[in-house]
Amino acid sequence: MHKLSRSNRDKLQQFVAITGANEKVALQSLKASDWHLEGAFDLFYSQPQIKAFTDSRHLEELYKRYKDPHADMIMADGITNLCNDLQVDPQDIVMLVISWHMKAATMCEFSKQEFIGGLQSLGIDTLDKFRERVQYMRSELKDENKFRDIYNFAFGWALEKGQKSLALDTAIGMWQLLFAEKQWLLVDHWCQFLQARHNKAISRDTWSQLLEFARTVDPSLTNYDAEGAWPYLIDEFVEYLNENGIVQTQNQRGQVSEWRK
């Protein structure tokens, strides 16, 4: 370690503290990622040996800390307590990322398998490690592929049990949360359009296609293809924008920007 700069020594110590890896593994991960911490975390956590660095006893203790007293699950109250311990708001989008890592089937619920399996995959077995990993999980939203996976996961996660379509109010809340990360300029207009013209549950196809629309179609609609295979609801949205002069207004104000990665 004496050959490392002070900055790199600090990164090495931080990596070891968060992952529980030994210094040799930490050094390999950091060197392979050109000493970028987030890249080193990505590399490390993509490796199957991660489970060797979590203590099953500590995982059980963490689960019991939040487990519902009347069911073998972590329910809404337990998740609220978890949020308090992590010092994050229950409405923070990072809770969606955590649920994605845990492969949670339902919003506001973690089964024992989901909770422990998710923490193992993240290399977390203490609250301190959990808190330290929050910023990394938040940064995953900047990765285009991970954002797409999290976005698609959110549909099934937010579904009411037994339903195939997402309640409109729930869908709007999720879109506002997710697209705030990407700063899609049309998200508020999209939500207003749905409330005014649609007022029905949202299908999985519409959910997935909207992300593609937001990614590929400029907010000015200059590259919108009316003959493209968009769901009828998105075509109606484009008509709504044109009818109400919304696109023209945005152009005049100079507010049009590209999808921000």
Side-chain angles (χ1 to χ4, degrees):
M1 285 183 60
H2 65 281
K3 295 182 180 179
L4 300 179
S5 67
R6 182 171 183 176
S7 173
N8 287 350
R9 284 201 306 273
D10 289 343
K11 289 178 181 178
L12 184 67
Q13 291 171 358
Q14 187 176 348
F15 189 95
V16 169
I18 292 174
T19 64
N22 59 42
E23 287 187 1
K24 181 179 179 181
V25 171
L27 196 58
Q28 289 173 341
S29 299
L30 285 161
K31 284 183 176 179
S33 62
D34 198 24
W35 290 93
H36 293 294
L37 261 177
E38 299 301 339
F41 285 139
D42 275 337
L43 180 65
F44 179 75
Y45 287 112
S46 68
Q47 303 302 316
Q49 74 266 24
I50 182 57
K51 293 187 179 182
F53 298 104
T54 57
D55 188 318
S56 59
R57 293 169 300 175
H58 292 168
L59 289 170
E60 286 281 349
E61 290 169 5
L62 274 178
Y63 174 71
K64 290 177 182 177
R65 180 183 181 94
Y66 305 111
K67 176 185 171 296
D68 189 270
H70 307 296
D72 192 15
M73 293 193 70
I74 297 173
M75 309 292 281
D77 288 346
I79 291 176
T80 298
N81 292 336
L82 173 62
C83 290
N84 290 337
D85 285 343
L86 296 179
Q87 300 173 351
V88 300
D89 189 286
Q91 303 301 316
D92 193 314
I93 194 170
V94 78
M95 293 306 297
L96 170 60
V97 182
I98 289 171
S99 297
W100 172 64
H101 275 289
M102 293 184 179
K103 299 180 174 63
T106 306
M107 187 187 295
C108 297
E109 289 183 9
F110 294 136
S111 70
K112 183 176 182 179
Q113 182 178 353
E114 289 169 349
F115 186 77
I116 290 181
L119 294 188
Q120 282 182 323
S121 71
L122 287 162
I124 293 170
D125 56 10
T126 67
L127 265 177
D128 285 341
K129 286 183 183 179
F130 211 155
R131 291 190 193 99
E132 289 166 345
R133 290 288 286 161
V134 166
Q135 192 56 42
Y136 164 75
M137 287 186 277
R138 198 184 301 282
S139 74
E140 290 184 289
L141 292 160
K142 298 177 183 178
D143 182 291
E144 196 69 18
N145 291 327
K146 289 183 180 180
F147 181 85
R148 183 186 293 108
D149 289 346
I150 292 166
Y151 177 93
N152 288 326
F153 162 82
F155 182 88
W157 178 72
L159 276 178
E160 292 185 18
K161 292 181 179 179
Q163 299 298 309
K164 294 183 179 180
S165 297
L166 196 58
L168 181 60
D169 288 347
T170 302
I172 285 175
M174 294 302 299
W175 274 320
Q176 290 172 332
L177 184 70
L178 286 156
F179 284 127
E181 293 296 316
K182 290 297 183 182
Q183 299 183 354
W184 182 44
L185 293 179
L186 297 177
V187 63
D188 288 338
H189 295 301
W190 167 251
C191 295
Q192 291 163 8
F193 157 75
L194 291 175
Q195 290 171 321
R197 299 280 186 91
H198 186 62
N199 202 28
K200 296 179 182 177
I202 300 299
S203 69
R204 185 180 290 273
D205 182 56
T206 297
W207 178 269
S208 60
Q209 287 295 315
L210 185 70
L211 177 61
E212 190 63 18
F213 179 84
R215 286 183 62 254
T216 60
V217 177
D218 191 277
S220 64
L221 305 182
T222 53
N223 62 339
Y224 173 73
D225 181 5
E227 302 300 320
W230 297 110
Y232 81 92
L233 200 56
I234 290 180
D235 288 331
E236 287 188 2
F237 174 56
V238 171
E239 292 178 10
Y240 168 85
L241 293 174
N242 288 319
E243 288 170 4
N244 290 276
I246 293 169
V247 174
Q248 181 182 6
T249 300
Q250 287 197 144
N251 282 329
Q252 289 173 346
R253 291 178 180 175
Q255 293 177 333
V256 173
S257 66
E258 295 181 357
W259 173 264
R260 300 186 184 184
K261 295 182 180 180

